[in-house]
Amino acid sequence: MTALPCDRCVGRSLNLCRPLDGARLQVMLALGGIHRWKKHESLFRADAPMGPFFKIRSGIVAVSRTLDDGRRQIVAVRAPGDCVGYLENDGKYAFDGDALTDVEACAFDRRGFDAFAAKHPDLAAAVAEALSAALKQSGQDMLVLGQLRSTERVAHFLAEIDTLYRQRAVSSRPLSLKMSRTEIADYLGLTLETVSRAIGKLKVRDVIGLMGSDEVVVLDNNKLRRIAKVEHDGRPSATTIN
Amino acid sequence: MTALPCDRCVGRSLNLCRPLDGARLQVMLALGGIHRWKKHESLFRADAPMGPFFKIRSGIVAVSRTLDDGRRQIVAVRAPGDCVGYLENDGKYAFDGDALTDVEACAFDRRGFDAFAAKHPDLAAAVAEALSAALKQSGQDMLVLGQLRSTERVAHFLAEIDTLYRQRAVSSRPLSLKMSRTEIADYLGLTLETVSRAIGKLKVRDVIGLMGSDEVVVLDNNKLRRIAKVEHDGRPSATTIN
DNA sequence: CGGGAACTTGATCTCGGTCAATATTGGTGG
DNA sequence: CCACCAATATTGACCGAGATCAAGTTCCCG
């Protein structure tokens, strides 16, 4: 068997690759090919006519939505193994998808995939599992956006990114955020200045250490997670969809 | 054919009832029965061992999560036709489910349902569709929580509830909120005082009118939706899951 | 090195939170 | 039916976390 578009997918539990074997795989492969984007390029735009969705092979993707006046909310950060660009609204993408780093991803035709999934119950179950995981995550994030103070949010973000990247083998220690202060702010519903101050506060309290502005060392994991309030069970999450 | 537990489900597009017919329906029915809750009773608790999930026949349910210190975030408001209590975390409910009004719902055994869905592709597709719709909604809500100011949030809430209740034939005009100021605040990430002031502001601007504190008349829909910033396409949404 | 982008830090302002005092309202029993 | 009471909502005064505006500083990257 040759190298597969998805053979790099990690994640110990279920993901959209496992159910693919033998002949079925061939069909899937026919549906989409590998594409590449550079940092800050767009994978897809909200309200643009629906095209394929993508399964990330490497790199990080931000899923977001922006108001007319420029206010932007990053709704999810996706890592290798995750799917993005799956959600649609009346034949259009429901969100923006932006490469936070250089990205490689498999493109899949939405209709073709759905039709294929309809014939393969385990694949359909994998999709449902992925969607459930994403929905659960969204609920957590709403708690963060609605209830946590700025420093709590940033602490939560760091714990979350730490868990996410570790699971997906994105980067080793020290943790590399891959996001500017502005991007973190857009994810947490804060301003870049507030994010900067909150990070400073965590540094002063010896919860974390900084190497440059992108590399973070978690000095006191317990304290970090206590500040973050919301549990981050390091449980492996299924392939996630957006 | 006799009266069905789900025959009241409205929603023009897909829902979890349509794919149920004949013999298959019988199996589904064997999986769960109708239950009733009074206002403010709990359908299920986060972290409690997983039991059945529920499909609402009548009434409104709040899906929420509360921190140790009491801060609470309502993550979704569900109406007849929607499913709640579906998401799990390691064998436990992922969220709280509370009756905002008297509620009637069908209980379904999770495992039994999943097994059944695995054999019926159209049902599986319906589940995926419902989960997708819920996830899209969550993204919108994150934009609201992260970026909108208090009055914008309240306007958005009113527009959302108006659309939701109208689709599901929950209440006619004037719109009955079914939620106290505190509950609205917990949904919008605000305090009850701020919600009250924002409603007052919308009243002064003649965007809405009040009859008592629960009944709202939308006087200027355009203005309301302009303030709300986020589009509320009145598109029928699929059965939603939590 | 030099220049520009990203980050940090500081000063001030504002929105929404907090605390507190009424005002409604709705439900209950007389 | 009305009076009363508890629960809920409104309104006001004040405060503080975070936004905004404005310098500086560091860090890349050519």
Side-chain angles (χ1 to χ4, degrees), chain B residues 148-151 189-191 193-194 197 212-213:
Chain B
L148 298 196
R149 332 220 122 278
S150 63
T151 307
L190 300 169
T191 61
E193 292 96 329
T194 300
R197 281 186 247 267
S213 62

Side-chain angles (χ1 to χ4, degrees), chain A residues 155-206:
Chain A
H156 180 272
F157 167 76
L158 293 173
E160 181 181 48
I161 289 291
D162 179 45
T163 305
L164 177 68
Y165 289 4
R166 193 164 345 186
Q167 281 172 9
R168 311 306 175 77
V170 168
S171 64
S172 50
R173 250 61 130 279
L175 180 62
S176 173
L177 299 182
K178 319 278 194 194
M179 295 173 74
S180 72
R181 297 291 182 264
T182 302
E183 286 162 340
I184 298 172
D186 285 350
Y187 184 42
L188 298 178
L190 300 169
T191 61
L192 67 102
E193 294 95 328
T194 300
V195 170
S196 183
R197 282 186 246 268
I199 290 178
K201 209 172 289 185
L202 291 173
K203 196 168 69 168
V204 160
R205 294 187 201 168
D206 290 316

Side-chain angles (χ1 to χ4, degrees), chain A residues 29-228:
Chain A
L29 294 185
L31 295 177
I34 296 183
H35 294 247
R36 275 169 244 278
W37 292 262
K38 281 186 300 206
K39 190 173 177 172
H40 292 146
E41 285 182 346
S42 166
L43 279 73
F44 51 92
R45 288 261 141 260
D47 298 328
M50 198 69 184
F53 72 91
F54 309 92
K55 183 168 168 68
I56 304 170
R57 292 189 69 205
S58 69
I60 310 288
V61 176
V63 178
S64 68
R65 192 84 231 213
T66 301
L67 297 175
D68 307 325
D69 60 15
R71 284 179 282 179
R72 174 173 183 244
Q73 180 65 42
I74 292 178
V75 148
V77 176
R78 298 300 178 200
D82 291 336
C83 290
V84 295
Y86 183 82
L87 296 178
E88 70 173 312
N89 229 321
D90 197 25
K92 305 172 175 211
Y93 286 107
F95 297 95
D96 290 329
D98 299 295
L100 292 179
T101 63
D102 291 356
V103 167
E104 270 184 26
C106 281
F108 291 101
D109 177 68
R110 190 84 170 31
R111 297 186 179 287
F113 178 83
D114 285 351
F116 187 73
K119 299 199 192 91
H120 300 272
D122 51 349
L123 220 206
V127 171
E129 179 71 24
L131 286 166
S132 294
L135 191 51
K136 223 164 42 185
Q137 174 73 33
S138 284
Q140 291 286 319
D141 290 346
M142 286 182 68
L143 179 58
V144 169
L145 285 175
Q147 304 300 329
L148 298 195
R149 331 219 123 282
S150 62
T151 307
E152 297 169 336
R153 289 191 214 185
V154 171
H156 180 272
F157 167 76
L158 293 173
E160 181 181 48
I161 289 291
D162 179 45
T163 305
L164 177 68
Y165 289 4
R166 193 164 345 186
Q167 281 172 9
R168 311 306 175 77
V170 168
S171 64
S172 50
R173 250 61 130 279
L175 180 62
S176 173
L177 299 182
K178 319 278 194 194
M179 295 173 74
S180 72
R181 297 291 182 264
T182 302
E183 286 162 340
I184 298 172
D186 285 350
Y187 184 42
L188 298 178
L190 300 169
T191 61
L192 67 102
E193 294 95 328
T194 300
V195 170
S196 183
R197 282 186 246 268
I199 290 178
K201 209 172 289 185
L202 291 173
K203 196 168 69 168
V204 160
R205 294 187 201 168
D206 290 316
V207 180
I208 61 171
L210 284 188
M211 300 169 58
S213 63
D214 185 63
E215 312 266 273
V216 174
V217 183
V218 178
L219 299 174
D220 189 336
N221 213 297
N222 291 338
K223 213 188 277 183
L224 181 67
R225 280 156 206 274
R226 204 172 330 115
I227 296 173

